[in-house]
Amino acid sequence: MEGVKLLDFWVSLFGLRVRIALAEKGVEHEYKEEDLWEKSELLVGSNPVYKKIPVLIHDGRPGPIRARLCFPKDPYLRARARLWADFVDKKIFGCGERIVKAKGEDKERAKEEMISNMKLLEEALEDEPFFGGEAFRYVDISLISFASWFHAFEVEGSFSIMDACPRILEWVKRCKGRECVSKALPDPGATVEFVGVLKKQLGIE
């Protein structure tokens, strides 16, 4: 029995989710850092179609990564969690990518959309401590991985999340009070440096 192994990259938004979920559930695992520009044979062999991280291997077999253990039991709340997690994946990720890669008016529109989307998340949070109410669950894990990227988005987009959406940052602080989150999230300054390296790799000035 080889146990659980995670192939990942330190600043990956989607890999961070897996690390946080595994820690939240107390699943022991081996972490293997990948080089995204020189991918290992293990990664390519485990995910031959997309050749992307993260990949979770259990007893030598790669499998789909699911965070359903962090879903609420109530069917309505599960559906609501899926809705907002999908919103994060499509709207927050999409805007963040454009803020980093776009220029001029396109970057400005991405920044405005990011702020608008974050305000919608603030409304969804209401007065609860987490998106799962009193419990730290699926939507929280989906969004908190972005916390280490927030400063990079601010630097690239020339805006302040604190000024625009202060309750989101209050939520971030609550999440960081959990060991599974505080130990997983990279330093925001390191993420800013990585974005600079990434832009050079992609030829973005």
Side-chain angles (χ1 to χ4, degrees):
M1 300 290 285
E2 299 179 27
V4 178
K5 180 181 293 185
L6 177 62
L7 311 184
D8 200 2
F9 184 65
W10 67 278
V11 78
S12 165
L13 287 162
F14 301 103
L16 282 166
R17 293 177 179 178
V18 180
R19 277 175 265 162
I20 291 168
L22 290 173
E24 176 71 9
K25 292 300 176 181
V27 178
E28 293 186 7
H29 64 282
E30 176 188 349
Y31 176 87
K32 185 179 183 300
E33 180 78 4
E34 286 287 335
D35 183 336
L36 299 187
W37 289 272
E38 295 289 340
K39 297 174 182 179
S40 71
E41 292 183 6
L42 179 59
L43 173 58
V44 174
S46 300
N47 189 1
V49 176
Y50 298 106
K51 302 177 179 63
K52 292 182 178 181
I53 51 91
V55 173
L56 197 64
I57 301 173
H58 184 215
D59 292 335
R61 295 182 177 182
I65 294 175
R66 306 182 190 275
R68 288 181 180 170
L69 288 174
C70 300
F71 270 170
K73 293 181 180 180
D74 181 86
Y76 168 76
L77 295 178
R78 282 202 306 272
R80 187 173 184 269
R82 287 191 181 97
L83 173 69
W84 284 111
D86 187 63
F87 179 88
V88 170
D89 285 351
K90 291 178 179 176
K91 299 295 186 178
I92 303 300
F93 179 81
C95 289
E97 187 174 40
R98 286 162 53 210
I99 287 171
V100 170
K101 295 181 179 180
K103 299 178 181 178
E105 292 183 2
D106 287 342
K107 184 186 287 284
E108 188 65 22
R109 280 195 295 269
K111 178 186 75 174
E112 291 173 359
E113 287 177 25
M114 174 68 86
I115 292 171
S116 176
N117 292 333
M118 296 280 268
K119 287 183 180 296
L120 287 175
L121 285 168
E122 277 193 325
E123 292 176 11
L125 185 60
E126 298 178 336
D127 294 323
E128 299 287 353
F130 300 106
F131 286 94
E134 293 293 328
F136 177 81
R137 286 186 173 155
Y138 188 67
V139 180
D140 300 289
I141 292 173
S142 297
L143 181 59
I144 194 58
S145 62
F146 284 84
S148 59
W149 282 77
F150 282 169
H151 184 49
F153 297 153
E154 290 175 322
V155 170
E156 292 292 323
S158 300
F159 70 105
S160 167
I161 293 175
M162 173 58 81
D163 290 345
C165 308
R167 288 201 295 123
I168 288 292
L169 293 190
E170 291 171 5
W171 165 83
V172 168
K173 289 180 181 178
R174 286 193 292 274
C175 291
K176 285 184 175 180
R178 306 181 73 83
E179 187 175 355
C180 65
V181 174
S182 62
K183 286 190 172 182
L185 292 182
D187 177 74
T191 305
V192 171
E193 292 179 7
F194 170 75
V195 168
V197 172
L198 179 64
K199 291 175 72 173
K200 287 182 180 179
Q201 290 278 352
L202 297 175
I204 300 172
E205 297 296 335

